[in-house]
Amino acid sequence: MDILGSLLIILLGTITGTRADVHPIDKYGLKGGAACLAVRENPHQEMAMKWMTDDNVIVVSEEVSPEYKERVDYNSTDHSLCLRKLEQTDTGIYIAYNVEKWKETQMVKYNLMVQEAVSIPVMEVVSLSSNYSGGMCDVTVNCSVPGVWVLSVCDGGQCTLSQQSLSHTRVNIIISNDNGTIQCTGKNNFSAETNSQRMEDICIGRYYRS
Ligand SMILES: *[C@@H]1O[C@H](CO)[C@@H](O)[C@H](O)[C@H]1NC(C)=O
Ligand SMILES: *[C@@H]1O[C@H](CO)[C@@H](O)[C@H](O)[C@H]1NC(C)=O
Ligand SMILES: *[C@@H]1O[C@H](CO)[C@@H](O)[C@H](O)[C@H]1NC(C)=O
Ligand SMILES: *[C@@H]1O[C@H](CO)[C@@H](O)[C@H](O)[C@H]1NC(C)=O
Ligand SMILES: *[C@@H]1O[C@H](CO)[C@@H](O)[C@H](O)[C@H]1NC(C)=O
């Protein structure tokens, strides 16, 4: 057997040999807010629990680590962990272990993502034609929140995506034309903010920014 084949077998053996991992639950927290991580199945009260993130122990033997003491509430009855004053750096994997004398078992695993609330989108609207009839004209709309923008071309009836920024922020921007009103909505999993402008105002004013 070739070396590659042997390596593959060793590798597979290593993977299947490890304890089956618990699938992480996605959890979203608002920056500055709180997130509570529950141990879902009914835990025995006398069970010893350990909460960890990366290589840091947050709770063990019902005691909260000094590093987290100020902003963590641990409930020793249901073993839930609440983090307050969330910061971007709290984003990560959190695992609760059932600790027995000779064994530690994963009970639950969270993928915590901390996000900021969305700000009201800024709309930059430029009219493409001066031919104003019945409050309709062709316009380009650049809708942005810090870090992400979307450019659409809107006519009387609808808006078509034209260009957008590459974004690493978790904000979706939607531009729509609803009965002569162009709406621009920015949203993430916590909040949504909408700004809007009437076609009529844009087409008469030619250029408008809000
Ligand atoms: C701890 O959890 C138990 C069971 O869910 C609940 O009844 C109790 O009120 C909680 N304690 C605190 C301090 O939140
Ligand atoms: C303006 O639009 C109307 C209807 O779409 C068209 O009949 C007219 O010729 C246009 N005028 C100009 C100056 O483009
Ligand atoms: C849209 O607006 C944003 C924010 O003002 C700007 O950075 C971006 O370059 C604009 N995009 C286009 C295509 O004009
Ligand atoms: C669209 O707007 C016009 C004028 O504001 C109004 O008369 C009409 O009922 C609206 N149509 C719909 C479907 O909302
Ligand atoms: C919102 O959460 C879902 C999963 O629950 C995720 O797939 C999606 O990308 C999130 N949306 C944003 C804008 O972050």
Side-chain angles (χ1 to χ4, degrees):
M1 183 183 290
D2 61 358
I3 293 174
L4 215 68
S6 322
L7 272 177
L8 194 65
I9 284 174
I10 292 167
L11 196 69
L12 283 175
T14 314
I15 291 168
T16 51
T18 54
R19 185 180 52 230
D21 264 356
V22 177
H23 191 71
I25 302 163
D26 282 342
K27 185 92 184 174
Y28 294 88
L30 183 60
K31 191 177 172 188
C36 289
L37 311 178
V39 176
R40 288 204 294 185
E41 44 209 290
N42 245 356
H44 313 291
Q45 285 201 10
E46 58 282 1
M47 195 168 71
M49 291 288 296
K50 182 166 86 175
W51 275 100
M52 287 192 73
T53 182
D54 299 327
D55 290 332
N56 299 320
V57 176
I58 304 174
V59 174
V60 68
S61 314
E62 313 209 342
E63 200 184 334
V64 179
S65 112
E67 198 188 327
Y68 283 91
K69 215 163 200 136
E70 293 302 311
R71 53 192 199 92
V72 157
D73 295 317
Y74 173 66
N75 183 330
S76 55
T77 308
D78 65 9
H79 304 290
S80 60
L81 181 80
C82 291
L83 289 131
R84 288 179 276 109
K85 297 179 196 164
L86 287 171
E87 296 154 21
Q88 215 86 49
T89 50
D90 290 326
T91 293
I93 300 284
Y94 292 76
I95 305 173
Y97 294 91
N98 174 21
V99 181
E100 293 167 280
K101 193 167 182 182
W102 308 117
K103 193 166 88 174
E104 289 186 354
T105 319
Q106 285 190 14
M107 298 288 294
V108 70
K109 188 184 212 172
Y110 287 94
N111 181 19
L112 177 65
M113 286 165 271
V114 179
Q115 299 181 356
E116 288 189 60
V118 176
S119 58
I120 296 173
V122 173
M123 289 175 88
E124 206 168 316
V125 182
V126 179
S127 153
L128 299 175
S129 62
S130 56
N131 192 355
Y132 162 72
S133 67
M136 299 296 176
C137 58
D138 291 351
V139 295
T140 61
V141 181
N142 181 347
C143 194
S144 60
V145 297
V148 48
W149 57 264
V150 168
L151 188 77
S152 274
V153 176
C154 301
D155 60 19
Q158 61 189 23
C159 296
T160 312
L161 176 69
S162 157
Q163 249 185 296
Q164 61 188 328
S165 60
L166 286 173
S167 162
H168 304 290
T169 58
R170 293 174 176 276
V171 178
N172 289 334
I173 291 184
I174 300 152
I175 300 176
S176 64
N177 187 352
D178 183 22
N179 196 19
T181 301
I182 297 178
Q183 290 198 318
C184 174
T185 302
K187 64 170 152 189
N188 63 14
N189 279 305
F190 297 103
S191 58
E193 290 288 354
T194 298
N195 199 349
S196 67
Q197 278 183 36
R198 283 166 54 208
M199 273 290 204
E200 211 171 294
D201 299 337
I202 301 161
C203 298
I204 294 170
R206 293 288 306 275
Y207 179 89
Y208 211 83
R209 190 193 159 118
S210 76

